[in-house]
Amino acid sequence: MSNKKNTKINFYFRLLLFYFWFFFFIGIGAIFIIFYAASKGYLGTLPSTKDIENPIMEVGSEVYDANGILLGKFFSENRTLITYQKLPKNLVNALIAKEDIRFKHHSGIDAKSLLRAIFSLGKKGGGSTISQQLAKILFTGPSAKNKLQRMHQKLLEWVMAIELEKRYTKEEIITMYYNKFDFLYNAKGIETAAHTYFNKKVSELNLGECATLVGMLENPSLYNPKLYPDRAKKQRNLVLYQMKKYDFINNSRYQNELEKPVKINFKIQKKDFELLTYYGEFLKKEIQEALDDYEEKTGQKLNLYSSGLKIYTSIDAKMQDFAEKAVKKHLSQLQVLFNNSQKKNKNAPFLNITPEKTKRIISSAMHRTQLYQDLRQKGISEEKIIETFKKPQHTKLFTWNGYKKVFISPWDFIRYQKSIIQAGLISIEASTGYIKAWVGGIDFNYFQYDHVAKTQRQVGSVFKPILYAAAINELHYTPCTKISNEKFHLGKWSPRNSNGKYGGFLTLKDGLALSVNTISARLISQITTGPVISLARKMGIGSFIPEHPSIALGSADLTLYEMTGAFNTFTNYGIYVKPSILVKIEDEYGKLIKEHIDLSRRQVFSEEVAYIMLKLMQGAVQYGTAKRLHKYNFFVGDIAGKTGTTNENSDGWFIGMTPNLTTGIWVGWEDRFAHFESIKLGQGANMALPIWAYYMSSLYKDSSLIYHEKLLFHKPENYHWDNCEEDHNNNSDKEKNKNILKNVIDFDESLNTENSIKNDGSLNSENGSKNDDQ
């Protein structure tokens, strides 16, 4: 009986053993098949070998100035890659202690941790190794909510973890993990996170800070020290406990760190590092052209926002700072004068227009605001939108002493913005065309519109040097050539001198220095508009120029970028070179992608013609419309320049040249109907010239820069017109000329083309409103 019973037990035991091993091997086989199927991509698409060996690690491109100073970045993810050697030892140990203590011994999957997770149903951790977590953030993405889908993700993560371990060292895996992790607040990667939360480099983090950031890895939102400091402290202490448990720190140090508060020095990095500036769009265009050219030649596509490029520019950070300060210094003073002049103006800041026209201007600006677009998308009627725009709300208002919070309606806010004086400044290295400074407006945080390359405004008398150059080039005139200053009529066009003085003759030198309109009118009648427009095109001006004689007085709407580039042809002795910012591009490994090769250089006119023009414009500085430079102590050195003022003082221009630098300045308002009433305040010599003076004074005082009063324009060997002596037989002519000089040297000629505009089919009384609202 006993034998039968034992036999029966042995039978069941052998049967149980059989089934155990049967299912065990079935399970092993199933796992092998699943792993094999997953590794072959049968259970879902896997990254290619190329993707595994070159995981996507988007790194923004860094932009440097001419001296290697970091100006900012272009990026989609604000990430700075860090090497393993720069990771603090505590940061590495904290990660291993908290996330994967057997990291150095497994090959991607930790069997012990995995079984613990399975038997505890995840209550004692998920069992994911650092390699699996890296696989997740690199390839599989956020955890699926569906359990079956999450199991599928886990399988893929196991496979990818093993593949990563095959290809990378343990140090490389840790480095990639830290570089890739998103710590929120646009802090992608550990280096940016260190700057964001502690305002430090990652190499400078102390033990508690390392533990805080490692604590965030589990859930960066839940354990965020900015949002939840108490919760973050508990999580930090857990990390410290794990470090003590595995002997990375001793008990004394653990106890010492335990009660310390979580101290952060929070600073979002986006605005500190992103290249938010007026020349950004212009630079991006130059870069993209270079990258497209590189792709066409090599087949390799590089991305400005994610390829980790090193971009070197011609911008000089010091000169840029001087330029911005010069603009602010003068315009803040000019704004006070303008505001005082508007106190009795019921239609401020506009002059000489009806309230109906004012309403159209503000309404036009309203239609371009984001608020208007949002309300229209919601289906709100035009009448209701206008009601909303006329209801006061709390708003940040720009002032020259910093922003101010006010209670104002969006409608009145637009009107206020129109009263703020705007400016543009561009400074170009003469021989290379490299742009050293670019101020597109007064404050990029409030006014993003770029007044250097985008704003097209009437150029006034600043266009006259192009006319004079055409006359000298075509008719072989010299500085001593005399032109009649009698009243001039060409059909219905009757340009006027702003001082009302006529008669006698003036040399070209005096005519340009004093910006006399009748001289310019006679020149355009002699050579016609064709050669003038043709020369302007060769000098880099691409905007529309009307074929009307009024262009002699500057009726065309052109950009500051175009005009300054054209003037640089004079400074560069007749050679036009397209103004550029980009110097070279390197990839993340330092390989040269693009080096600036100037293909735009062209000889527009001779060195002699260029020098003649420089001498003529030196006259403007010495005794003409720009002579107030002397008030800023510019008595020595070769300086040439030209002022410009447009109808009703809407725009003030000054372009000044030294032997190695051409700097152009425009000053005006968003709308042309906002302006000074008097030419004394509204002329270019008062609105724009002082900015040039402040800027150049700063350059001259800085001995580290190459700009100083000892530089001289190069004189061609065959130039011999330094002195233009009066040679009139008629003494009355001499007296007339003296009278002219006496009465015009304190004023820059305004455009005064009202008659020409009214009688020109391509220009009309609304000519000044094309760019009213920007």
Side-chain angles (χ1 to χ4, degrees):
M1 189 75 179
S2 176
N3 289 335
K4 287 184 178 180
K5 188 175 181 180
N6 288 336
T7 303
K8 193 173 183 179
I9 290 172
N10 287 336
F11 171 77
Y12 283 119
F13 177 75
R14 287 193 298 271
L15 187 64
L16 183 63
L17 200 62
F18 169 79
Y19 278 115
F20 172 79
W21 286 111
F22 175 80
F23 285 112
F24 176 80
F25 285 113
I26 287 289
I28 293 293
I31 291 172
F32 175 78
I33 291 170
I34 290 171
F35 263 90
Y36 178 80
S39 65
K40 293 296 182 181
Y42 300 144
L43 301 183
T45 304
L46 290 174
S48 66
T49 301
K50 181 181 178 182
D51 290 334
I52 298 170
E53 292 177 349
N54 298 282
I56 295 174
M57 199 76 69
E58 292 192 356
V59 183
S61 297
E62 296 177 340
V63 181
Y64 295 90
D65 89 330
N67 301 305
I69 297 171
L70 180 64
L71 296 173
K73 295 181 182 178
F74 292 119
F75 59 84
S76 54
E77 292 187 355
N78 189 16
R79 176 183 286 108
T80 299
L81 296 185
I82 197 84
T83 62
Y84 182 81
Q85 288 71 26
K86 291 185 179 179
L87 294 174
K89 189 176 180 181
N90 284 323
L91 195 66
V92 175
N93 291 340
L95 175 64
I96 292 173
K98 173 68 170 64
E99 299 294 330
D100 190 0
I101 193 57
R102 284 174 290 279
F103 172 69
K104 293 183 179 179
H105 306 290
H106 62 65
S107 298
I109 299 174
D110 183 359
K112 185 175 181 180
S113 296
L114 181 61
L115 290 173
R116 182 195 66 215
I118 292 172
F119 287 119
S120 68
L121 299 177
K123 293 179 180 178
K124 295 183 179 181
S128 290
T129 64
I130 294 172
S131 304
Q132 286 174 253
Q133 292 178 42
L134 177 59
K136 178 183 177 182
I137 60 177
L138 282 177
F139 305 118
T140 61
S143 300
K145 294 182 180 180
N146 182 284
K147 289 185 178 181
L148 287 176
Q149 290 177 342
R150 183 61 194 133
M151 287 176 62
H152 176 248
Q153 281 183 330
K154 275 286 187 183
L155 284 171
L156 297 181
E157 287 165 16
W158 288 343
V159 173
M160 297 316 304
I162 294 171
E163 293 295 326
L164 287 170
E165 291 270 358
K166 286 180 184 177
R167 289 169 170 81
Y168 299 102
T169 66
K170 296 291 184 178
E171 291 78 9
E172 288 173 329
I173 288 172
I174 285 178
T175 306
M176 278 195 288
Y177 181 64
Y178 269 133
N179 278 331
K180 185 66 178 176
F181 195 85
D182 184 352
F183 289 87
L184 305 185
Y185 291 108
N186 204 40
K188 306 292 178 72
I190 192 69
E191 177 70 11
T192 311
H195 282 284
T196 300
Y197 291 100
F198 302 107
N199 199 23
K200 290 182 178 181
K201 295 178 180 179
V202 69
S203 58
E204 299 171 343
L205 295 174
N206 61 37
L207 173 60
E209 291 162 347
C210 289
T212 300
L213 290 176
V214 170
M216 292 176 67
L217 298 174
E218 186 175 329
N219 188 322
S221 178
L222 190 64
Y223 301 113
N224 193 292
K226 168 70 173 172
L227 298 172
Y228 310 108
D230 293 337
R231 198 182 291 168
K233 181 180 178 181
K234 290 179 181 178
Q235 184 73 351
R236 180 205 67 182
N237 290 349
L238 174 61
V239 175
L240 292 170
Y241 171 78
Q242 291 293 105
M243 293 182 75
K244 179 183 77 76
K245 177 181 176 181
Y246 294 114
D247 297 323
F248 289 117
I249 58 174
N250 58 37
N251 187 63
S252 174
R253 194 171 185 192
Y254 167 68
Q255 293 296 336
N256 186 48
E257 292 287 336
L258 210 56
E259 295 305 317
K260 288 182 180 179
V262 174
K263 289 184 178 180
I264 65 171
N265 186 359
F266 187 78
K267 193 174 185 182
I268 292 179
Q269 298 299 296
K270 184 177 178 66
K271 288 190 177 180
D272 293 331
F273 287 96
E274 187 174 6
L275 191 68
L276 296 171
T277 186
Y278 289 103
Y279 59 79
E281 288 301 316
F282 182 88
L283 176 59
K284 280 193 280 188
K285 183 180 178 182
E286 285 198 311
I287 294 168
Q288 196 55 56
E289 288 174 355
L291 296 183
D292 290 344
D293 184 55
Y294 181 76
E295 183 181 4
E296 188 176 331
K297 290 178 179 178
T298 66
Q300 183 182 357
K301 186 175 181 64
L302 295 172
N303 188 290
L304 172 61
Y305 297 96
S306 60
S307 294
L309 305 174
K310 298 287 189 295
I311 297 159
Y312 297 89
T313 72
S314 59
I315 294 292
D316 187 304
K318 187 179 288 187
M319 294 173 70
Q320 179 72 23
D321 182 56
F322 287 150
E324 290 173 2
K325 286 178 178 176
V327 169
K328 182 176 181 180
K329 181 177 181 178
H330 180 59
L331 292 197
S332 59
Q333 299 167 355
L334 206 61
Q335 188 74 57
V336 174
L337 295 176
F338 180 72
N339 292 346
N340 289 338
S341 73
Q342 296 295 304
K343 286 181 178 178
K344 295 182 180 180
N345 179 15
K346 294 181 180 180
N347 200 29
F350 309 112
L351 286 170
N352 305 326
I353 61 171
T354 64
E356 289 73 24
K357 173 67 175 176
T358 299
K359 184 178 179 180
R360 289 200 301 272
I361 291 171
I362 297 176
S363 179
S364 176
M366 176 191 74
H367 284 98
R368 287 189 295 277
T369 64
Q370 189 60 50
L371 174 60
Y372 180 87
Q373 300 299 329
D374 292 341
L375 294 174
R376 286 298 291 174
Q377 283 187 347
K378 292 177 181 178
I380 299 175
S381 67
E382 186 78 9
E383 292 76 15
K384 291 288 184 182
I385 290 176
I386 292 175
E387 286 181 18
T388 301
F389 264 78
K390 292 190 176 181
K391 289 181 181 177
Q393 61 186 43
H394 291 287
T395 306
K396 278 186 178 181
L397 209 64
F398 168 84
T399 77
W400 288 101
N401 297 313
Y403 80 85
K404 181 172 66 175
K405 287 186 178 180
V406 297
F407 196 58
I408 189 174
S409 71
W411 185 270
D412 288 335
F413 175 77
I414 292 172
R415 193 180 194 118
Y416 174 81
Q417 297 281 83
K418 299 283 187 184
S419 72
I420 302 299
I421 303 177
Q422 301 291 332
L425 179 153
I426 181 173
S427 200
I428 303 170
E429 189 173 71
S431 60
T432 63
Y434 280 141
I435 297 166
K436 309 304 290 182
W438 178 309
V439 183
I442 56 175
D443 190 326
F444 193 81
N445 292 316
Y446 293 90
F447 306 94
Q448 279 84 43
Y449 194 86
D450 174 40
H451 293 294
V452 171
K454 291 184 178 179
T455 296
Q456 291 181 306
R457 297 292 278 260
Q458 281 188 338
V459 290
S461 296
V462 83
F463 189 83
K464 289 176 181 176
I466 298 175
L467 165 69
Y468 275 61
I472 292 168
N473 203 39
E474 296 287 326
L475 305 176
H476 307 293
Y477 281 175
T478 74
C480 305
T481 300
K482 300 182 180 85
I483 306 291
S484 170
N485 185 44
E486 297 293 341
K487 287 186 177 182
F488 178 80
H489 303 278
L490 183 61
K492 295 181 180 180
W493 185 49
S494 302
R496 304 186 305 273
N497 291 337
S498 62
N499 68 338
K501 301 293 183 180
Y502 304 92
F505 288 80
L506 291 175
T507 62
L508 282 191
K509 184 176 181 180
D510 289 341
L512 186 61
L514 305 167
S515 202
V516 180
N517 283 343
T518 51
I519 306 299
S520 298
R522 280 188 165 81
L523 289 178
I524 195 76
S525 70
Q526 290 171 12
I527 61 173
T528 72
T529 59
V532 178
I533 295 173
S534 176
L535 182 63
R537 294 281 177 256
K538 292 174 184 176
M539 296 173 76
I541 296 175
S543 297
F544 171 72
I545 303 175
E547 294 183 15
H548 189 277
S550 63
I551 64 172
L553 309 185
S555 62
D557 285 355
L558 308 175
T559 68
L560 179 61
Y561 172 83
E562 291 174 308
M563 285 304 302
T564 311
F567 266 61
N568 194 60
T569 311
F570 301 128
T571 325
N572 200 25
Y573 302 105
I575 300 172
Y576 171 77
V577 54
K578 185 179 180 182
S580 174
I581 294 179
L582 181 63
V583 175
K584 67 176 179 177
I585 303 174
E586 294 177 354
D587 68 12
E588 57 185 323
Y589 306 109
K591 177 186 174 185
L592 187 65
I593 299 300
K594 175 74 175 182
E595 188 164 28
H596 178 78
I597 299 174
D598 183 22
L599 302 176
S600 66
R601 293 181 76 88
R602 56 177 175 264
Q603 190 82 40
V604 177
F605 39 71
S606 69
E607 182 181 351
E608 184 183 12
V609 170
Y611 188 76
I612 289 173
M613 289 308 304
L614 290 171
K615 294 300 289 184
L616 295 186
M617 286 185 279
Q618 280 183 280
V621 172
Q622 291 162 357
Y623 63 89
T625 59
K627 74 165 190 172
R628 69 175 62 191
L629 272 178
H630 301 324
K631 294 180 181 180
Y632 300 94
N633 298 317
F634 285 94
F635 293 105
V636 294
D638 276 2
I639 299 172
K642 185 69 188 78
T643 56
T645 310
T646 62
N647 278 336
E648 296 189 322
N649 316 310
S650 294
D651 309 276
W653 296 77
F654 181 70
I655 301 178
M657 296 161 284
T658 61
N660 57 352
L661 196 67
T662 304
T663 303
I665 297 157
W666 165 87
V667 174
W669 288 259
E670 282 191 4
D671 190 279
R672 300 186 203 213
F673 296 105
H675 53 81
F676 281 111
E677 192 163 14
S678 73
I679 192 170
K680 183 177 180 181
L681 292 176
Q683 63 180 302
N686 185 64
M687 293 228 290
L689 179 146
I691 295 175
W692 189 92
Y694 292 141
Y695 171 61
M696 291 304 299
S697 292
S698 297
L699 299 190
Y700 282 5
K701 290 175 184 176
D702 194 316
S703 59
S704 68
L705 298 174
I706 58 172
Y707 309 101
H708 50 83
E709 63 274 7
K710 294 180 181 179
L711 297 172
L712 301 174
F713 292 118
H714 172 68
K715 181 178 178 180
E717 292 181 4
N718 56 346
Y719 180 84
H720 54 272
W721 293 288
D722 278 328
N723 295 303
C724 295
E725 297 293 336
E726 295 289 343
D727 188 29
H728 298 300
N729 295 321
N730 189 332
N731 287 328
S732 64
D733 279 343
K734 292 182 181 180
E735 292 303 316
K736 287 180 181 178
N737 291 336
K738 289 179 182 178
N739 189 40
I740 293 167
L741 295 178
K742 182 180 178 181
N743 284 280
V744 299
I745 58 176
D746 288 330
F747 294 95
D748 176 29
E749 295 296 275
S750 61
L751 184 57
N752 281 328
T753 54
E754 292 177 3
N755 292 334
S756 66
I757 290 174
K758 291 177 182 177
N759 293 290
D760 175 21
S762 63
L763 301 172
N764 54 51
S765 60
E766 296 295 315
N767 185 59
S769 63
K770 183 162 63 174
N771 286 3
D772 289 344
D773 305 302
Q774 294 156 352

